[in-house]
Amino acid sequence: MTGGPNSAVGEQAPEKTPGKPRKALPSPQGKGSAKKPESHLAMVRRARRINRELAEIYPYAHPELDFRNPFELLVATVLSAQTTDLRVNQTTPALFAAYPTPEDMAAAVPEDLEEIIRPTGFFRAKARSLLGLSQALRDDFGGEVPGRIEDLVKLPGVGRKTANVVLGNAFGVPGITVDTHFGRLVRRWKWTEQEDPEKVEAEICAIFPKSEWTMLSHRVVFHGRRICHSRKPACGACPIAPLCPAYGEGETDPEKAKKLLKYEKGGQPGQRLSPPPDYPGLPAPPLGAGRVAEADVSAPTAS
């Protein structure tokens, strides 16, 4: 596989051959270990190796919002701002039963829409966004979600992150999704020092071939939600610890770290009520089916 036009280095390292023994990772370096400054080329090689390792750890990585079409994914991603994907997934069945199309949602009584999406928080602002984007889809796009980022970001409540989620997962257009987890991990791994999401996106796009962008986003987010938590990463249970310059910021004792694992890695239900067939964990329960560990391990995502 060759690098895309934004690739920083010519060719991507070759993919692993099935059945071929994995090359041993170096031993993790604890905090305070002496280490030569890493060159940009060395960082790119390490970043691509982390991506390959994550692909083996999470071969089932996927968007954690339930959806059946581009409109449902667009709406669910807008609702995911400042809440968990689980809460969105527990809310959208009733929402799409009531308003299955942009035309239906555009004609919704605002108070009725607000009441349905109330569990996701900030429901009045989100209702305004959903009404506005549905009306725009009805009036300007023939009731269809557009497949261009230039059009998507003009819709009410739709930022670049939301647009990339929709394009990558509903239209197959590669993109980097910079949410809270993604930004935290790529800075922790020293792939970038940028804080602004668009600058983060540009720098990470330059490291990886375009064909990897969407799945890289899923893998990084999966790792951030399950192992590399914001306040207490499970360093001692992390398969890529030897490649991580931040090893030691979290719990390094393997047994203690194992107790910090989330979702399928910790034997807990996932976030989707209808996960893909290859997902090895349990589906999430519907809304009102009892208390589950639905709070993410760091701040919720934003559009």
Side-chain angles (χ1 to χ4, degrees), residues 65 73-81 126 129-130 133 156-158 162 303:
L65 290 169
L73 180 57
L74 176 61
V75 168
T77 308
V78 170
L79 290 176
S80 72
K126 290 179 181 179
S129 293
L130 295 187
L133 72 84
V158 178
T162 295
S303 62

Side-chain angles (χ1 to χ4, degrees), residues 277-300:
D278 63 342
Y279 180 63
L282 299 170
L287 191 64
R291 295 190 61 181
V292 294
E294 66 182 60
D296 242 331
V297 292
S298 66

Side-chain angles (χ1 to χ4, degrees), residues 152-231:
L152 284 168
V153 296
K154 293 177 183 177
L155 298 173
V158 178
R160 191 172 179 89
K161 188 213 84 169
T162 295
N164 277 331
V165 169
V166 173
L167 290 174
N169 297 287
F171 293 97
V173 178
I176 294 287
T177 301
V178 182
D179 70 354
T180 304
H181 304 283
F182 189 93
R184 179 180 76 252
L185 266 63
V186 297
R187 285 186 290 271
R188 187 172 275 173
W189 292 335
K190 308 299 183 187
W191 294 0
T192 181
E193 294 181 353
Q194 300 293 341
E195 296 283 344
D196 178 77
E198 290 195 26
K199 292 179 180 179
V200 171
E201 180 185 344
E203 291 199 2
I204 304 307
C205 283
I207 296 174
F208 296 92
K210 192 172 184 178
S211 59
E212 285 291 305
W213 291 353
T214 299
M215 286 309 301
L216 171 71
S217 300
H218 293 323
R219 294 165 190 154
V220 172
V221 170
F222 256 61
H223 194 64
R225 286 175 167 168
R226 286 149 177 79
I227 297 176
C228 197
H229 313 313
S230 176
R231 289 180 288 275

Side-chain angles (χ1 to χ4, degrees), residues 24-43:
L25 296 178
S27 298
Q29 295 198 24
K31 290 195 288 186
S33 298
K35 190 176 182 181
K36 292 190 302 183
E38 185 178 46
S39 69
H40 179 73
L41 178 59
M43 181 277 290

Side-chain angles (χ1 to χ4, degrees), residues 230-245:
S230 176
R231 289 180 288 275
K232 201 169 183 180
C235 295
C238 180
I240 61 167
L243 298 170
C244 181

Side-chain angles (χ1 to χ4, degrees), residues 35-53:
K35 190 176 182 181
K36 292 190 302 183
E38 185 178 46
S39 69
H40 179 73
L41 178 59
M43 181 277 290
V44 170
R45 287 173 173 166
R46 180 173 56 83
R48 292 183 172 188
R49 185 165 185 191
I50 287 176
N51 182 41
R52 293 195 300 272
E53 296 293 333

Side-chain angles (χ1 to χ4, degrees), residues 81-195:
Q82 304 303 314
T83 191
T84 63
D85 287 354
L86 171 61
R87 181 57 79 190
V88 174
N89 292 335
Q90 292 174 323
T91 302
T92 50
L95 177 66
F96 295 134
Y99 312 110
T101 69
E103 292 83 357
D104 294 321
M105 193 169 289
V109 176
E111 292 77 12
D112 294 342
L113 180 60
E114 290 173 3
E115 189 58 32
I116 294 175
I117 67 172
R118 180 186 289 267
T120 68
F122 301 95
F123 58 92
R124 291 189 179 89
K126 290 179 181 179
R128 287 194 296 271
S129 293
L130 295 187
L131 287 169
L133 72 84
S134 296
Q135 290 161 3
L137 293 177
R138 178 195 62 192
D139 298 340
D140 302 331
F141 297 99
E144 300 291 334
V145 176
R148 301 194 316 153
I149 196 167
E150 297 88 350
D151 296 324
L152 284 168
V153 296
K154 293 177 183 177
L155 298 173
V158 178
R160 191 172 179 89
K161 188 213 84 169
T162 295
N164 277 331
V165 169
V166 173
L167 290 174
N169 297 287
F171 293 97
V173 178
I176 294 287
T177 301
V178 182
D179 70 354
T180 304
H181 304 283
F182 189 93
R184 179 180 76 252
L185 266 63
V186 297
R187 285 186 290 271
R188 187 172 275 173
W189 292 335
K190 308 299 183 187
W191 294 0
T192 181
E193 294 181 353
Q194 300 293 341
E195 296 283 344

